[in-house]
Amino acid sequence: MKVARFSQGDEVRFGVLDGPELVVLKGHPIVNGYEPSGERVPLKEVKLLAPSIPSKIVCVGKNYLAHIAEMGHGSVGSEPTIFLKPSSSIVGPGDNIFLPAQSQQVELEVELALVIGALTRNVSPEDALQYVWGFTVANDVTARDLQASDDQWARSKSFDSFCPIGPWLETEFIPEDQMIESRINGEVVQSSTIDQMIFTVPQIVSYISHNMTLLPGDVIITGTPAGITKINSGDIIECEVEGVGTLINQVA
Ligand code: MG
C-alpha cells in the first residue's frame, strides 16, 4: 500500500494510492489507522508532500563498500556510523533543492529511507521491522567541501532543502535486492542494489534504538551507494528505489 501525504488548497491530509486517485484517510494513519473518509481525489489535483515530518532524521554513513572506497574512508566499522540531519532540511517531491552560497560542491546521495511507526527503544534486529511504518526514498544532499573542511558533518548535511523525501510511503516493502539508482537530467550516476548495504535495515533500526529513542514519524536513511556526483542549478534529480518509487526534485 502506498500512503501519500498531500495538500489540496490549505488542507494537508493522507491518502492511499489507488490508480490515478487517492483514497483520502481520516486523520493521521499512525494515530487513526487506515480509515477512509469516503472521499477520493485525483492524484493530479494534489501536491504530494514529504510523507513524514519527523522529530529527527537519523542517517547511516559508509554503508555501501563501493561508496566507502570512493570516499577513501578505509575499512568497514564494526558498528554503523550514524549522524543526524534536522527536520528543517526536509522537502517533498517536486520541491527545489537550493544550493547554499557557502558551498561550491553540493552532491546528491540516493538512499532507502524508512519511517518509524511506534515508540522504538532497545529493540532487537528480529523485532525491528515491526516498528517500521513504511519505506520511502531520500536524497541525503551534502555540501562535500564543507564535510571535508568542518570537524563535524552538521553543517554540510543540514542546509534547508538538503533532505528531500518521498514521493510516498510504501508499507509493504521488504528490503531484499531491489535496485537503488539516481539520475541527473536522465543520466544514471548511482546504481546499485539494496543487498549491497553493509548493515541491514533491521540491524540499523536495532542499533539506533539502543542509542536513542525513536519516535513515531522519525526518519532513518540507510546510506548511499557509489557514484556521488555534483549537482548544479537547473538539474533535474531523480532518486529511485525499485518497489518504492521515484523522488524528483530540481536544483535551484
Ligand atoms: Mg548519506
Side-chain angles (χ1 to χ4, degrees):
M1 180 163 68
K2 290 181 167 61
V3 183
R5 181 170 162 266
F6 68 94
S7 65
Q8 197 180 23
D10 293 338
E11 229 178 338
V12 174
R13 294 180 292 175
F14 286 84
V16 176
L17 259 75
D18 184 18
E21 293 183 324
L22 284 165
V23 175
V24 180
L25 298 174
K26 283 185 181 171
H28 194 301
I30 288 183
V31 180
N32 306 94
Y34 296 99
E35 195 182 347
S37 69
E39 192 183 345
R40 300 172 75 96
V41 293
L43 199 50
K44 61 177 169 26
E45 288 181 13
V46 307
K47 173 169 172 29
L48 294 180
L49 305 173
S52 187
I53 297 297
S55 78
K56 57 188 169 294
I57 306 154
V58 190
C59 315
V60 179
K62 303 189 278 185
N63 203 28
Y64 287 77
L65 272 180
H67 173 62
I68 293 174
E70 75 178 345
M71 291 288 286
H73 274 144
S75 59
V76 177
S78 59
E79 295 182 327
T81 298
I82 61 172
F83 60 96
L84 297 170
K85 284 168 96 84
S87 55
S88 51
S89 65
I90 283 193
V91 290
D95 289 337
N96 284 336
I97 298 165
F98 292 102
L99 299 177
Q102 294 91 325
S103 174
Q104 308 309 313
Q105 182 77 22
V106 176
E107 297 184 348
L108 84 176
E109 294 188 1
V110 61
E111 309 203 7
L112 173 67
L114 60 92
V115 177
I116 292 293
L119 193 137
T120 304
R121 183 186 290 144
N122 296 335
V123 301
S124 67
E126 292 71 31
D127 292 339
L129 285 181
Q130 296 171 28
Y131 293 83
V132 176
W133 176 31
F135 289 85
T136 188
V137 184
N139 184 351
D140 177 17
V141 181
T142 303
R144 198 69 64 195
D145 47 356
L146 304 183
Q147 187 184 28
S149 63
D150 291 2
D151 285 339
Q152 300 282 330
W153 295 0
R155 187 166 66 130
S156 65
K157 294 282 189 178
S158 299
F159 289 100
D160 289 0
S161 78
F162 268 32
C163 194
I165 58 170
W168 42 61
L169 214 66
E170 173 55 68
T171 60
E172 284 153 48
F173 182 81
I174 297 168
E176 289 171 344
D177 58 355
Q178 293 91 346
M179 180 267 295
I180 181 167
E181 187 170 286
S182 66
R183 298 178 288 273
I184 302 178
N185 303 322
E187 184 188 337
V188 174
V189 291
Q190 295 182 280
S191 187
S192 187
T193 48
I194 297 298
D195 59 355
Q196 296 301 301
M197 297 197 325
I198 295 162
F199 297 100
T200 65
V201 169
Q203 288 171 332
I204 288 167
V205 173
S206 172
Y207 177 78
I208 295 169
S209 80
H210 282 86
N211 289 283
M212 64 186 82
T213 297
L214 292 161
L215 302 178
D218 279 355
V219 172
I220 297 175
I221 66 175
T222 58
T224 199
I228 50 174
T229 303
K230 186 183 182 197
I231 57 176
N232 297 291
S233 187
D235 285 347
I236 304 292
I237 310 299
E238 293 171 84
C239 292
E240 180 175 5
V241 175
E242 179 188 1
V244 178
T246 304
L247 169 68
I248 304 174
N249 300 93
Q250 183 162 12
V251 185

